[in-house]
């Protein structure tokens, strides 16, 4: 079976995409070819000896707008021609950003591949009107007109986002819509259960991910932690953090706050996370996408034995908390003045439940839909 995986945004920025490719490539009956772009943030390039990777140029953020647009158009056209030569049995494309290449191949090159679609994010129609979204807007149009009606699988990362996507595409058969969560690899759950014996002193907090003053509560949680230099330690780890955040941290010099501007490699996260007690999710919920988001970090923190703190705005995490007996703590990060570190006690955890949220489990329905399981059984 020949599978083409279209992911125009650099793979290294999306660990769940890399985990899926590792899972798919482990199947000896599958020939996997990936079409992506070079990352410009110094991340270690994704590599798997069983995966052929075709990397196009990524638009230079400092280039003229027309040059960035031409670079992206070139990727779509080149990828479509490459698909014509490869003649895949199945195409998996990710996000409307990658949709034009799939549309060109299937519409103009008589492509016969079965089609599977996954979205990391949920986009409202007004989101496509933002600067820099011209081609994703066209990609979304081709999805609604041509790609979705022929797709065998269209997935979102949780039930709330899926419900919104189905609302926006009422003509598409209900049987095509699926949930594909961003779970971590099962091996992450074999790490030390850091909360099994309670928290030590000081209590150790970590934030991993993107951060800005506009979209996250990074300033609020840092100021709160700084009030308790003997009781709390906070570590911030992320490569996609706005420069003014680190500039502010440099100026403040909080004694109990440390940070790693270059982030860390995804495969190193389990050993790093197990040194902490609490994992932070800090999105403010400025968009529908963030309100109905369960970031992959939630599952990664849980699988590594951490309690998770999240903002009250994040409705989907709140729903997830109500459905599962796991250490999730909802906080009003905009008003932490009455939240005292001396009152903190671990919520406890149910280790067996956290181990239910693994990538291998999440990917199995998609692999079954693609027929990979049938080929595995014959081999």
């Amino acid at each position: 079976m020949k599978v083409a995986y279209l992911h125009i945004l650099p793979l290294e920025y999306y660990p769940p995409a890399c985990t899926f490719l590792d899972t798919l490539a482990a199947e000896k009956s599958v020939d996997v070819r990936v079409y992506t772009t070079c990352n410009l943030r110094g991340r270690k390039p994704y590599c798997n000896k069983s995966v052929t990777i075709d990397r196009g140029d990524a638009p230079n953020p400092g280039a003229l707008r027309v040059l960035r647009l031409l670079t992206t158009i070139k990727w779509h056209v080149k990828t479509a021609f490459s698909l014509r030569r490869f003649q895949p049995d199945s195409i998996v494309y990710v996000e409307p950003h990658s949709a034009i290449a799939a549309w060109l191949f299937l519409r103009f090159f008589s492509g016969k591949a079965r089609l599977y679609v996954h979205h990391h994010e949920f986009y409202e129609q007004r989101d496509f009107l933002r600067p820099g979204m011209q081609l994703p807007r066209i990609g979304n149009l081709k999805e609604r007109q041509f790609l979705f009606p022929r797709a065998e699988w269209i997935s979102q990362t949780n039930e709330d986002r899926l419900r919104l996507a189905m609302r926006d595409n009422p003509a598409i058969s209900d049987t095509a819509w699926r949930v594909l969560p961003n779970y971590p690899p099962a091996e992450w759950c074999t790490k030390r259960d850091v909360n099994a014996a309670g928290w030590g002193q000081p209590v150790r907090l970590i934030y991993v991910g993107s951060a800005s003053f506009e979209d996250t509560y990074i300033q609020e949680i840092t100021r709160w932690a700084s009030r308790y230099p003997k009781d709390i330690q906070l570590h911030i780890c992320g490569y996609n953090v706005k420069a003014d955040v680190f500039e502010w941290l440099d100026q403040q010099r909080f004694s109990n706050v440390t940070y790693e501007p270059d982030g860390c490699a995804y495969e190193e996260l389990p050993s790093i996370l197990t040194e902490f007690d609490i994992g932070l999710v800090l999105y403010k919920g400025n968009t529908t996408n963030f309100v109905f988001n369960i970031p992959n970090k939630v599952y990664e923190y849980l699988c590594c034995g951490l309690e998770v703190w999240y903002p009250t705005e994040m409705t989907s995490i709140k729903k997830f908390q109500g459905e599962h007996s796991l250490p999730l703590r909802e906080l009003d990060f905009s008003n932490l003045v009455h939240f005292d570190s001396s009152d903190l006690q671990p919520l406890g955890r149910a280790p067996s439940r956290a181990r239910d949220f693994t990538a291998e489990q999440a990917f199995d329905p998609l692999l079954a839909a693609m027929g990979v399981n049938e080929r595995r059984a014959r081999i």
Side-chain angles (χ1 to χ4, degrees):
M1 178 187 293
K2 295 192 290 186
V3 177
Y5 187 81
L6 280 55
H7 199 296
I8 188 172
L9 301 175
L11 291 174
E12 294 75 22
Y13 306 162
Y14 298 87
C18 299
T19 303
F20 174 71
L21 290 172
D22 287 339
T23 304
L24 187 60
E27 302 294 337
K28 299 186 183 303
S29 63
V30 181
D31 178 7
V32 186
R33 185 161 300 187
V34 179
Y35 300 88
T36 187
T37 54
C38 299
N39 81 76
L40 303 177
R41 297 177 184 168
R43 310 306 297 165
K44 179 182 177 183
Y46 169 79
C47 181
N48 184 315
K49 293 181 180 179
S50 299
V51 176
T52 301
I53 302 179
D54 186 330
R55 288 187 184 271
D57 295 329
N60 185 340
L64 294 174
R65 180 178 176 182
V66 66
L67 294 179
R68 298 197 304 270
L69 189 64
L70 289 174
T71 300
T72 306
I73 292 173
K74 177 183 175 182
W75 182 89
H76 286 289
V77 173
K78 180 182 176 183
T79 297
F81 274 99
S82 295
L83 291 173
R84 184 183 186 184
R85 291 192 297 271
F86 183 46
Q87 288 297 316
D89 301 295
S90 298
I91 292 175
V92 181
Y93 82 78
V94 183
E95 299 285 89
H97 300 64
S98 307
I100 294 176
W103 170 71
L104 289 172
F105 170 67
L106 295 171
R107 175 68 177 82
F108 297 103
F109 294 153
S110 302
K112 304 298 182 183
R114 299 168 68 183
L115 183 62
Y116 306 86
V117 181
H118 179 60
H119 285 185
H120 293 305
E121 315 286 353
F122 171 75
Y123 296 98
E124 296 185 284
Q125 289 304 303
R126 66 172 177 263
D127 294 328
F128 294 109
L129 300 178
R130 300 198 308 263
M133 294 291 279
Q134 296 94 331
L135 290 181
R137 181 165 66 246
I138 295 173
N140 174 254
L141 178 64
K142 298 309 176 186
E143 284 184 322
R144 297 158 68 91
Q145 293 178 340
F146 181 84
L147 296 169
F148 283 177
R150 69 175 293 158
E152 299 183 25
W153 171 290
I154 311 169
S155 52
Q156 269 285 351
T157 58
N158 63 56
E159 292 180 355
D160 289 328
R161 285 176 165 181
L162 186 71
R163 172 177 51 80
L164 294 171
M166 293 176 69
R167 177 204 65 189
D168 292 345
N169 298 274
I172 305 304
S173 170
D174 290 352
T175 59
W177 297 102
R178 302 296 184 90
V179 173
L180 184 61
N182 287 332
Y183 295 159
E187 62 184 18
W188 284 39
C189 293
T190 65
K191 306 300 180 182
R192 180 172 62 90
D193 184 355
V194 296
N195 286 334
W199 295 337
Q201 282 292 117
V203 180
R204 300 157 298 173
L205 283 66
I206 185 170
Y207 177 70
V208 180
S210 304
S212 70
F213 293 136
E214 297 77 19
D215 292 325
T216 66
Y217 287 109
I218 192 70
Q219 188 173 63
E220 289 81 353
I221 191 63
T222 303
R223 289 195 183 280
W224 176 83
S226 69
R227 288 163 45 194
Y228 307 102
K230 295 182 180 179
D231 301 326
I232 298 289
Q233 285 185 350
L234 170 62
H235 184 63
I236 300 166
C237 181
Y239 66 90
N240 191 22
V241 176
K242 289 289 186 67
D244 58 351
V245 173
F246 288 128
E247 290 171 2
W248 176 75
L249 289 169
D250 285 337
Q251 293 169 1
Q252 298 298 319
R253 297 181 180 274
F254 297 117
S255 62
N256 60 333
V257 178
T258 56
Y259 44 95
E260 178 51 66
D262 295 328
C264 65
Y266 185 70
E267 60 271 17
E268 296 173 358
L269 265 181
S271 60
I272 293 172
L273 292 179
T274 49
E275 297 298 319
F276 293 86
D277 304 300
I278 296 164
L280 299 169
V281 177
L282 300 175
Y283 295 114
K284 287 183 175 180
N286 290 338
T287 65
T288 302
N289 181 51
F290 282 133
V291 170
F292 296 107
N293 184 21
I294 306 179
N296 47 303
K297 289 297 172 288
V298 170
Y299 308 115
E300 292 161 6
Y301 291 150
L302 290 171
C303 280
C304 289
L306 281 69
E307 180 172 310
V308 179
W309 293 1
Y310 70 94
T312 188
E313 296 93 330
M314 300 192 72
T315 301
S316 289
I317 304 182
K318 188 184 305 185
K319 180 180 177 182
F320 178 71
Q321 179 180 12
E323 295 171 344
H324 302 283
S325 178
L326 291 165
L328 294 152
R329 190 187 300 260
E330 177 187 350
L331 289 175
D332 181 359
F333 283 95
S334 65
N335 184 23
L336 294 172
V337 64
H338 300 301
F339 188 53
D340 196 303
S341 69
S342 62
D343 298 329
L344 279 181
Q345 294 295 329
L347 293 174
R349 67 167 304 198
S352 61
R353 293 298 298 132
R355 287 167 171 75
D356 288 343
F357 307 106
T358 64
E360 291 80 356
Q361 175 199 50
F363 295 146
D364 199 57
L366 176 54
L367 296 179
M370 295 172 67
V372 173
N373 293 351
E374 297 174 8
R375 287 174 176 262
R376 181 195 305 157
R378 288 200 295 270
I379 293 176

